[in-house]
Coordinates of all heavy atoms in Angstrom, one line a residue:
N24 N 0.8 -1.2 0.0 CA 0.0 0.0 0.0 C 0.9 1.3 0.0 O 0.5 2.3 -0.5 CB -0.9 0.0 1.2 CG -1.9 1.1 1.1 OD1 -2.3 1.6 0.1 ND2 -2.3 1.6 2.3
T25 N 2.0 1.2 0.6 CA 2.9 2.4 0.7 C 3.3 2.8 -0.7 O 3.4 4.0 -1.0 CB 4.1 2.2 1.6 OG1 4.9 1.2 1.1 CG2 3.7 2.0 3.0
V26 N 3.6 1.9 -1.6 CA 4.1 2.2 -2.9 C 3.0 2.6 -3.8 O 2.9 3.7 -4.4 CB 4.9 1.1 -3.5 CG1 5.3 1.4 -4.9 CG2 6.2 0.8 -2.7
L27 N 2.0 1.7 -4.0 CA 1.0 1.9 -5.0 C -0.1 2.9 -4.5 O -0.6 3.8 -5.2 CB 0.3 0.6 -5.4 CG 1.2 -0.4 -6.1 CD1 0.5 -1.7 -6.4 CD2 1.7 0.2 -7.4
G28 N -0.5 2.7 -3.2 CA -1.6 3.5 -2.7 C -1.3 4.9 -2.2 O -2.1 5.8 -2.3
E29 N -0.1 5.0 -1.7 CA 0.2 6.3 -1.1 C 1.3 7.1 -1.9 O 1.0 8.2 -2.4 CB 0.7 6.1 0.3 CG -0.4 5.6 1.2 CD 0.0 5.4 2.6 OE1 1.2 5.5 2.9 OE2 -0.9 5.2 3.5
E30 N 2.4 6.5 -2.1 CA 3.5 7.3 -2.7 C 3.3 7.7 -4.1 O 3.5 8.8 -4.6 CB 4.8 6.6 -2.5 CG 5.3 6.6 -1.1 CD 5.5 8.0 -0.5 OE1 6.0 8.9 -1.2 OE2 5.1 8.1 0.7
L31 N 2.8 6.7 -4.9 CA 2.6 7.0 -6.3 C 1.5 8.0 -6.5 O 1.5 8.8 -7.4 CB 2.3 5.7 -7.1 CG 3.6 4.9 -7.4 CD1 3.2 3.6 -8.2 CD2 4.7 5.6 -8.1
L32 N 0.5 8.0 -5.6 CA -0.6 8.9 -5.7 C -0.2 10.3 -5.3 O -0.3 11.3 -6.0 CB -1.8 8.5 -4.9 CG -3.0 9.5 -4.7 CD1 -3.6 9.7 -6.1 CD2 -4.0 9.0 -3.7
F33 N 0.4 10.4 -4.1 CA 0.7 11.7 -3.5 C 2.0 12.3 -4.1 O 2.1 13.5 -4.3 CB 0.9 11.6 -2.0 CG -0.5 11.5 -1.3 CD1 -1.0 10.3 -0.9 CD2 -1.2 12.7 -1.0 CE1 -2.2 10.2 -0.3 CE2 -2.4 12.6 -0.4 CZ -2.9 11.4 0.0
R34 N 3.1 11.5 -4.3 CA 4.3 12.1 -4.8 C 4.4 11.9 -6.3 O 5.0 12.8 -7.0 CB 5.5 11.4 -4.1 CG 6.1 12.1 -3.0 CD 5.2 12.6 -2.0 NE 5.0 11.7 -0.8 CZ 4.3 12.0 0.2 NH1 3.6 13.1 0.2 NH2 4.2 11.2 1.2
G35 N 3.9 10.8 -6.9 CA 4.0 10.6 -8.3 C 3.0 11.4 -9.1 O 3.3 11.9 -10.2
L36 N 1.8 11.5 -8.6 CA 0.7 12.1 -9.4 C 0.4 13.5 -8.9 O 0.4 14.5 -9.7 CB -0.6 11.2 -9.3 CG -1.8 11.7 -10.1 CD1 -1.5 11.6 -11.6 CD2 -3.0 10.9 -9.7
L37 N 0.1 13.7 -7.6 CA -0.3 15.0 -7.1 C 0.8 16.0 -6.9 O 0.6 17.2 -7.3 CB -1.0 14.8 -5.7 CG -2.3 14.1 -5.8 CD1 -2.8 13.9 -4.3 CD2 -3.3 14.8 -6.6
L38 N 2.0 15.6 -6.4 CA 3.0 16.6 -6.2 C 3.5 17.4 -7.4 O 3.6 18.6 -7.3 CB 4.2 15.9 -5.5 CG 5.4 16.8 -5.1 CD1 4.9 17.9 -4.1 CD2 6.5 16.0 -4.5
P39 N 3.7 16.8 -8.5 CA 4.1 17.5 -9.7 C 3.0 18.5 -10.2 O 3.3 19.6 -10.6 CB 4.3 16.5 -10.8 CG 4.6 15.2 -10.1 CD 3.8 15.3 -8.8
R40 N 1.7 18.2 -10.0 CA 0.6 19.0 -10.4 C 0.3 20.1 -9.4 O -0.3 21.1 -9.7 CB -0.6 18.2 -10.6 CG -0.5 17.3 -11.8 CD -1.6 16.2 -11.8 NE -1.5 15.4 -13.1 CZ -0.6 14.5 -13.3 NH1 0.3 14.3 -12.5 NH2 -0.7 13.8 -14.5
M41 N 0.8 20.0 -8.1 CA 0.5 21.0 -7.1 C 1.4 22.2 -7.3 O 1.1 23.2 -6.7 CB 0.7 20.3 -5.7 CG -0.3 19.3 -5.4 SD 0.0 18.5 -3.8 CE -0.8 19.6 -2.7
R42 N 2.5 22.1 -8.0 CA 3.4 23.2 -8.2 C 2.7 24.4 -8.9 O 3.0 25.5 -8.6 CB 4.6 22.8 -9.0 CG 5.6 23.9 -9.1 CD 7.0 23.4 -9.2 NE 7.9 24.6 -9.0 CZ 9.0 24.5 -8.4 NH1 9.4 23.3 -7.9 NH2 9.8 25.5 -8.3
G43 N 1.8 24.0 -9.8 CA 1.1 25.1 -10.5 C 0.2 25.9 -9.6 O -0.1 27.1 -9.8
V44 N -0.3 25.3 -8.6 CA -1.3 25.9 -7.6 C -0.5 26.6 -6.4 O -0.8 27.7 -6.1 CB -2.3 24.9 -7.1 CG1 -3.2 25.6 -6.1 CG2 -3.1 24.4 -8.3
F45 N 0.4 25.8 -5.9 CA 1.1 26.3 -4.6 C 2.5 26.8 -4.8 O 3.1 27.3 -3.9 CB 1.1 25.1 -3.6 CG -0.2 24.6 -3.2 CD1 -0.7 23.5 -3.7 CD2 -0.9 25.3 -2.3 CE1 -2.0 23.0 -3.3 CE2 -2.2 24.9 -1.8 CZ -2.7 23.8 -2.4
G46 N 3.0 26.8 -6.0 CA 4.3 27.3 -6.3 C 5.4 26.5 -5.6 O 5.4 25.3 -5.5
R47 N 6.4 27.3 -5.0 CA 7.5 26.6 -4.3 C 7.1 25.9 -3.0 O 7.8 25.1 -2.5 CB 8.6 27.6 -4.0 CG 9.2 28.2 -5.3 CD 10.3 29.1 -5.1 NE 11.4 28.4 -4.6 CZ 12.4 28.9 -3.8 NH1 12.3 30.1 -3.4 NH2 13.4 28.1 -3.4
G48 N 5.9 26.2 -2.5 CA 5.4 25.6 -1.3 C 4.6 24.3 -1.6 O 3.9 23.8 -0.7
D49 N 4.8 23.8 -2.8 CA 4.0 22.6 -3.1 C 4.3 21.4 -2.2 O 3.4 20.6 -1.9 CB 4.2 22.2 -4.6 CG 5.7 22.0 -4.9 OD1 6.5 22.3 -4.1 OD2 5.9 21.5 -6.0
W50 N 5.5 21.3 -1.8 CA 5.9 20.1 -1.0 C 5.3 20.3 0.4 O 4.9 19.3 1.1 CB 7.4 19.9 -0.9 CG 8.2 21.1 -0.4 CD1 8.5 22.3 -1.0 CD2 8.7 21.2 1.0 NE1 9.2 23.1 -0.2 CE2 9.3 22.5 1.0 CE3 8.7 20.4 2.1 CZ2 10.0 22.9 2.2 CZ3 9.3 20.8 3.2 CH2 10.0 22.1 3.3
V51 N 5.1 21.5 0.9 CA 4.4 21.7 2.2 C 3.0 21.4 2.1 O 2.4 20.7 3.0 CB 4.6 23.2 2.7 CG1 3.9 23.4 4.0 CG2 6.1 23.5 2.9
A52 N 2.3 21.8 1.1 CA 0.9 21.5 0.8 C 0.7 20.0 0.6 O -0.3 19.4 1.1 CB 0.4 22.3 -0.4
N53 N 1.6 19.4 0.0 CA 1.5 17.9 -0.2 C 1.7 17.2 1.1 O 1.0 16.2 1.4 CB 2.6 17.5 -1.2 CG 2.4 16.0 -1.6 OD1 3.0 15.1 -1.0 ND2 1.7 15.8 -2.7
G54 N 2.6 17.6 2.0 CA 2.7 17.0 3.3 C 1.5 17.2 4.1 O 1.1 16.3 4.8
L55 N 0.8 18.4 4.0 CA -0.4 18.6 4.8 C -1.5 17.7 4.2 O -2.3 17.1 5.0 CB -0.8 20.1 4.7 CG -2.1 20.5 5.3 CD1 -2.0 20.2 6.8 CD2 -2.4 21.9 5.1
L56 N -1.6 17.6 2.9 CA -2.6 16.7 2.4 C -2.4 15.3 2.8 O -3.4 14.6 3.1 CB -2.6 16.9 0.8 CG -3.7 16.1 0.1 CD1 -5.1 16.7 0.4 CD2 -3.4 16.3 -1.4
F57 N -1.2 14.8 2.8 CA -0.9 13.5 3.2 C -1.2 13.2 4.6 O -1.7 12.2 5.0 CB 0.6 13.1 2.9 CG 0.9 11.7 2.9 CD1 0.4 10.8 2.0 CD2 1.7 11.2 3.9 CE1 0.8 9.5 2.0 CE2 2.1 9.9 4.0 CZ 1.6 9.0 3.0
T58 N -1.0 14.3 5.5 CA -1.3 14.2 6.9 C -2.8 14.0 7.0 O -3.3 13.3 7.8 CB -0.8 15.4 7.6 OG1 0.6 15.5 7.5 CG2 -1.1 15.3 9.1
L59 N -3.6 14.8 6.3 CA -5.0 14.8 6.4 C -5.6 13.4 5.9 O -6.6 12.9 6.4 CB -5.7 15.9 5.5 CG -5.5 17.3 6.1 CD1 -6.0 18.3 5.1 CD2 -6.1 17.4 7.4
Y60 N -4.8 12.8 5.0 CA -5.2 11.4 4.6 C -5.1 10.4 5.7 O -5.7 9.4 5.7 CB -4.2 11.0 3.4 CG -4.3 9.6 3.0 CD1 -5.4 9.2 2.2 CD2 -3.3 8.7 3.3 CE1 -5.5 7.8 1.8 CE2 -3.4 7.4 2.8 CZ -4.5 7.0 2.1 OH -4.6 5.7 1.6
H61 N -4.3 10.7 6.7 CA -4.1 9.8 7.9 C -4.9 10.3 9.1 O -4.4 10.0 10.2 CB -2.6 9.8 8.2 CG -1.8 9.0 7.2 ND1 -1.1 9.5 6.2 CD2 -1.6 7.6 7.1 CE1 -0.5 8.6 5.5 NE2 -0.8 7.4 6.0
L62 N -6.0 10.9 8.9 CA -6.8 11.3 10.0 C -7.3 10.1 10.9 O -7.8 10.3 12.0 CB -8.0 12.1 9.6 CG -7.7 13.6 9.3 CD1 -9.0 14.3 8.8 CD2 -7.2 14.3 10.5
H63 N -7.3 8.9 10.3 CA -7.7 7.7 11.0 C -6.8 7.3 12.1 O -7.1 6.5 13.0 CB -8.0 6.6 10.1 CG -6.7 6.2 9.3 ND1 -6.2 6.9 8.3 CD2 -5.9 5.1 9.6 CE1 -5.1 6.3 7.8 NE2 -4.9 5.2 8.6
T64 N -5.6 8.0 12.2 CA -4.6 7.7 13.2 C -4.2 9.1 13.8 O -3.1 9.6 13.6 CB -3.4 7.0 12.7 OG1 -2.8 7.8 11.6 CG2 -3.7 5.6 12.3
P65 N -5.1 9.7 14.6 CA -4.9 11.1 15.1 C -3.7 11.2 16.1 O -3.2 12.3 16.2 CB -6.2 11.4 15.8 CG -6.9 10.1 16.1 CD -6.4 9.1 15.1
W66 N -3.3 10.1 16.7 CA -2.2 10.2 17.7 C -0.8 10.4 17.0 O 0.1 10.8 17.6 CB -2.1 8.9 18.5 CG -2.1 7.7 17.7 CD1 -0.9 7.0 17.3 CD2 -3.2 6.9 17.3 NE1 -1.3 5.9 16.6 CE2 -2.7 5.8 16.5 CE3 -4.6 7.0 17.4 CZ2 -3.5 4.9 16.0 CZ3 -5.4 6.1 16.8 CH2 -4.8 5.0 16.1
V67 N -0.7 10.2 15.7 CA 0.5 10.4 15.0 C 0.5 11.7 14.1 O 1.5 12.0 13.5 CB 0.9 9.2 14.1 CG1 1.1 8.0 15.0 CG2 -0.1 9.0 13.0
I68 N -0.5 12.5 14.2 CA -0.6 13.6 13.3 C 0.5 14.7 13.5 O 1.0 15.1 12.5 CB -2.1 14.2 13.3 CG1 -3.0 13.3 12.6 CG2 -2.1 15.6 12.7 CD1 -4.5 13.8 12.6
P69 N 0.8 15.1 14.7 CA 1.9 16.1 14.8 C 3.2 15.7 14.2 O 3.8 16.4 13.5 CB 2.0 16.3 16.3 CG 0.7 15.8 16.9 CD 0.2 14.7 16.0
T70 N 3.6 14.4 14.5 CA 4.9 14.0 13.9 C 4.7 13.6 12.4 O 5.7 13.7 11.6 CB 5.5 12.8 14.7 OG1 4.5 11.8 14.7 CG2 5.9 13.2 16.1
E71 N 3.6 13.1 12.1 CA 3.3 12.7 10.7 C 3.4 13.9 9.7 O 4.0 13.8 8.6 CB 1.9 12.2 10.6 CG 1.5 11.6 9.3 CD 2.0 10.2 9.1 OE1 2.1 9.5 10.1 OE2 2.1 9.8 8.0
F72 N 3.0 15.1 10.2 CA 3.1 16.3 9.3 C 4.5 16.6 9.0 O 4.9 16.8 7.8 CB 2.3 17.5 10.0 CG 2.4 18.7 9.2 CD1 1.9 18.8 7.9 CD2 3.0 19.9 9.7 CE1 2.0 19.9 7.1 CE2 3.1 21.0 8.9 CZ 2.5 21.1 7.7
L73 N 5.4 16.7 10.0 CA 6.8 17.0 9.8 C 7.5 15.9 9.0 O 8.3 16.2 8.1 CB 7.5 17.2 11.1 CG 7.0 18.4 11.9 CD1 7.7 18.5 13.3 CD2 7.3 19.7 11.1
A74 N 7.2 14.7 9.3 CA 7.9 13.6 8.6 C 7.4 13.5 7.1 O 8.2 13.3 6.2 CB 7.5 12.2 9.2
D75 N 6.1 13.8 6.9 CA 5.6 13.8 5.5 C 6.3 14.8 4.7 O 6.6 14.6 3.5 CB 4.1 13.9 5.5 CG 3.4 12.7 6.0 OD1 4.0 11.7 6.1 OD2 2.2 12.9 6.3
M76 N 6.4 16.0 5.3 CA 7.0 17.1 4.5 C 8.5 16.9 4.3 O 8.9 17.0 3.1 CB 6.9 18.4 5.3 CG 5.5 19.1 5.1 SD 5.5 20.8 5.8 CE 6.6 20.8 7.1
F77 N 9.2 16.6 5.3 CA 10.7 16.6 5.2 C 11.3 15.3 4.7 O 12.4 15.2 4.1 CB 11.4 17.0 6.5 CG 11.1 18.5 6.8 CD1 10.3 18.9 7.8 CD2 11.8 19.5 6.1 CE1 10.0 20.2 8.1 CE2 11.5 20.8 6.3 CZ 10.7 21.2 7.3
L78 N 10.6 14.2 5.0 CA 11.2 12.9 4.6 C 10.6 12.3 3.3 O 11.3 11.6 2.6 CB 10.9 11.8 5.7 CG 11.6 12.1 7.0 CD1 11.2 11.0 8.0 CD2 13.1 12.1 6.9
F79 N 9.4 12.7 3.0 CA 8.7 12.2 1.8 C 8.6 13.2 0.7 O 9.0 13.0 -0.5 CB 7.3 11.6 2.1 CG 7.4 10.5 3.2 CD1 6.3 10.4 4.0 CD2 8.4 9.7 3.4 CE1 6.3 9.5 5.0 CE2 8.4 8.7 4.4 CZ 7.3 8.6 5.2
A80 N 7.9 14.3 1.0 CA 7.5 15.3 -0.1 C 8.7 16.1 -0.6 O 8.9 16.2 -1.8 CB 6.4 16.2 0.4
Y81 N 9.5 16.6 0.3 CA 10.7 17.5 -0.1 C 11.7 16.7 -0.9 O 12.1 17.2 -2.0 CB 11.3 18.2 1.1 CG 12.5 19.1 0.6 CD1 12.2 20.2 -0.1 CD2 13.8 18.7 0.8 CE1 13.2 21.0 -0.5 CE2 14.8 19.5 0.3 CZ 14.5 20.7 -0.4 OH 15.5 21.4 -0.8
P82 N 12.1 15.5 -0.5 CA 13.1 14.8 -1.4 C 12.5 14.4 -2.7 O 13.2 14.4 -3.7 CB 13.4 13.5 -0.5 CG 13.1 13.9 0.8 CD 12.0 14.8 0.8
S83 N 11.2 14.1 -2.7 CA 10.6 13.7 -4.0 C 10.5 14.9 -4.9 O 10.7 14.8 -6.1 CB 9.1 13.2 -3.8 OG 9.2 12.0 -3.1
R84 N 10.3 16.1 -4.4 CA 10.2 17.3 -5.2 C 11.7 17.7 -5.6 O 11.9 18.1 -6.7 CB 9.6 18.4 -4.5 CG 9.6 19.7 -5.3 CD 8.9 20.8 -4.5 NE 9.3 22.1 -5.0 CZ 10.3 22.8 -4.6 NH1 11.1 22.3 -3.7 NH2 10.6 24.0 -5.1
R85 N 12.6 17.6 -4.7 CA 14.0 18.0 -4.9 C 14.6 17.2 -6.0 O 15.3 17.8 -6.9 CB 14.8 17.9 -3.6 CG 16.3 18.0 -3.7 CD 16.7 19.4 -3.9 NE 18.1 19.6 -3.9 CZ 18.9 19.4 -4.9 NH1 18.5 19.1 -6.1 NH2 20.2 19.6 -4.7
F86 N 14.4 15.9 -6.0 CA 15.0 15.1 -7.0 C 14.0 14.7 -8.2 O 14.4 13.9 -9.1 CB 15.6 13.8 -6.4 CG 16.7 14.1 -5.4 CD1 16.5 14.0 -4.1 CD2 17.9 14.4 -5.9 CE1 17.5 14.3 -3.2 CE2 19.0 14.7 -5.0 CZ 18.7 14.6 -3.7
Q87 N 12.8 15.3 -8.1 CA 11.8 15.1 -9.2 C 11.6 13.7 -9.5 O 11.5 13.3 -10.6 CB 12.2 15.9 -10.4 CG 12.2 17.4 -10.2 CD 12.6 18.2 -11.4 OE1 13.0 17.6 -12.5 NE2 12.6 19.5 -11.4
S88 N 11.4 12.9 -8.4 CA 11.2 11.5 -8.6 C 10.4 10.9 -7.4 O 10.8 11.2 -6.2 CB 12.5 10.7 -8.6 OG 12.3 9.3 -8.6
A89 N 9.4 10.2 -7.7 CA 8.6 9.6 -6.6 C 9.4 8.5 -5.9 O 9.0 8.1 -4.8 CB 7.3 9.0 -7.2
W90 N 10.5 8.0 -6.5 CA 11.3 7.0 -5.9 C 11.8 7.4 -4.6 O 12.0 6.5 -3.7 CB 12.4 6.5 -6.9 CG 11.9 5.6 -7.9 CD1 11.7 5.9 -9.2 CD2 11.5 4.3 -7.7 NE1 11.2 4.8 -9.9 CE2 11.1 3.8 -9.0 CE3 11.4 3.4 -6.6 CZ2 10.6 2.5 -9.1 CZ3 10.9 2.1 -6.8 CH2 10.6 1.7 -8.0
M91 N 12.1 8.6 -4.4 CA 12.7 9.1 -3.1 C 11.7 8.8 -1.9 O 12.0 8.3 -0.9 CB 13.1 10.6 -3.1 CG 14.2 10.9 -4.1 SD 15.7 9.9 -3.8 CE 16.2 10.5 -2.3
G92 N 10.4 9.2 -2.2 CA 9.4 9.0 -1.2 C 9.1 7.5 -1.0 O 8.9 7.0 0.1
I93 N 9.2 6.7 -2.1 CA 8.9 5.3 -2.0 C 10.0 4.6 -1.2 O 9.7 3.8 -0.4 CB 8.8 4.7 -3.5 CG1 7.6 5.2 -4.2 CG2 8.9 3.2 -3.4 CD1 7.5 4.8 -5.7
I94 N 11.2 4.9 -1.4 CA 12.3 4.3 -0.7 C 12.2 4.6 0.8 O 12.4 3.7 1.6 CB 13.7 4.8 -1.3 CG1 13.9 4.2 -2.7 CG2 14.8 4.4 -0.4 CD1 15.0 4.8 -3.4
V95 N 12.0 5.9 1.1 CA 12.0 6.2 2.6 C 10.7 5.6 3.2 O 10.8 5.0 4.3 CB 11.9 7.8 2.7 CG1 11.7 8.1 4.2 CG2 13.3 8.3 2.2
H96 N 9.6 5.7 2.6 CA 8.3 5.2 3.2 C 8.4 3.7 3.3 O 7.9 3.1 4.3 CB 7.2 5.6 2.3 CG 5.9 5.7 3.1 ND1 4.8 6.3 2.6 CD2 5.5 5.1 4.2 CE1 3.8 6.2 3.4 NE2 4.2 5.4 4.4
S97 N 8.9 3.0 2.3 CA 9.0 1.5 2.3 C 10.0 1.1 3.3 O 9.8 0.1 4.0 CB 9.3 1.0 0.9 OG 8.2 1.3 0.0
G98 N 11.1 1.8 3.4 CA 12.1 1.5 4.4 C 11.6 1.6 5.8 O 11.9 0.7 6.7
Q99 N 10.7 2.5 6.0 CA 10.1 2.7 7.3 C 9.2 1.5 7.6 O 9.2 0.9 8.7 CB 9.3 4.0 7.3 CG 8.4 4.2 8.5 CD 7.5 5.4 8.3 OE1 7.4 6.0 7.3 NE2 6.9 5.8 9.4
S100 N 8.5 1.0 6.6 CA 7.6 -0.1 6.8 C 8.4 -1.4 7.0 O 8.0 -2.3 7.8 CB 6.7 -0.3 5.5 OG 5.9 0.8 5.3
V101 N 9.5 -1.6 6.3 CA 10.3 -2.7 6.5 C 10.9 -2.8 8.0 O 10.9 -3.9 8.6 CB 11.5 -2.8 5.5 CG1 12.5 -3.8 5.9 CG2 11.0 -3.0 4.1
V102 N 11.3 -1.7 8.5 CA 11.8 -1.6 9.9 C 10.7 -2.0 10.9 O 10.9 -2.9 11.8 CB 12.3 -0.2 10.2 CG1 12.6 -0.1 11.7 CG2 13.6 0.1 9.5
V103 N 9.5 -1.5 10.7 CA 8.3 -1.9 11.5 C 8.0 -3.4 11.4 O 7.8 -4.1 12.5 CB 7.1 -1.1 11.2 CG1 5.9 -1.6 11.9 CG2 7.3 0.4 11.6
I104 N 8.1 -3.9 10.2 CA 7.8 -5.4 10.1 C 8.8 -6.2 10.7 O 8.5 -7.2 11.4 CB 7.7 -5.7 8.6 CG1 6.4 -5.1 8.0 CG2 7.7 -7.2 8.3 CD1 6.3 -5.2 6.5
V105 N 10.1 -5.8 10.6 CA 11.2 -6.6 11.3 C 11.0 -6.5 12.8 O 11.2 -7.6 13.5 CB 12.6 -6.0 10.8 CG1 13.7 -6.6 11.7 CG2 12.8 -6.4 9.4
V106 N 10.7 -5.4 13.3 CA 10.5 -5.3 14.8 C 9.4 -6.1 15.3 O 9.5 -6.9 16.2 CB 10.4 -3.8 15.2 CG1 9.9 -3.7 16.6 CG2 11.6 -3.0 15.0
V107 N 8.3 -6.0 14.6 CA 7.1 -6.8 14.9 C 7.4 -8.3 14.8 O 7.0 -9.1 15.8 CB 5.8 -6.4 14.1 CG1 4.7 -7.4 14.3 CG2 5.4 -5.0 14.4
L108 N 8.0 -8.8 13.8 CA 8.3 -10.2 13.6 C 9.3 -10.7 14.7 O 9.1 -11.8 15.2 CB 8.8 -10.5 12.2 CG 7.8 -10.5 11.1 CD1 8.5 -10.7 9.8 CD2 6.8 -11.7 11.4
T109 N 10.2 -9.8 15.0 CA 11.2 -10.2 16.1 C 10.5 -10.4 17.4 O 10.7 -11.3 18.1 CB 12.3 -9.1 16.2 OG1 12.9 -8.9 14.9 CG2 13.3 -9.5 17.3
L110 N 9.5 -9.5 17.7 CA 8.8 -9.6 19.0 C 7.9 -10.8 19.0 O 7.7 -11.5 20.0 CB 8.0 -8.3 19.2 CG 8.8 -7.1 19.5 CD1 8.0 -5.8 19.6 CD2 9.6 -7.2 20.8
V111 N 7.2 -11.0 17.9 CA 6.2 -12.1 17.8 C 6.9 -13.5 17.8 O 6.5 -14.4 18.4 CB 5.3 -12.0 16.5 CG1 4.5 -13.2 16.3 CG2 4.5 -10.7 16.7
L112 N 8.0 -13.6 17.0 CA 8.7 -14.9 16.9 C 9.7 -15.2 18.0 O 10.1 -16.4 18.1 CB 9.3 -15.0 15.5 CG 8.4 -14.9 14.3 CD1 9.2 -14.9 13.0 CD2 7.4 -16.0 14.3
A113 N 10.0 -14.3 18.8 CA 11.0 -14.5 19.9 C 10.4 -15.2 21.1 O 9.3 -15.3 21.3 CB 11.6 -13.2 20.3

């Protein structure tokens, strides 16, 4: 879901089109929109907003590639999966 459902939609499709509306602040607006997408987890919203902007949206815009967001977001998911499996299987 992080690659197809989130990163390709928000960084691959929306971020390049947001530049026309928001100008140089497109990555901030994209981070805010991505945070609003995660309203179902309200306890992570304060850190989610900063992480979305600086870890996902800005690198994707800076290097003009959705791959930056995909790598960081998927890397985060892999770490969580490894920790959970370690706890469950130990």
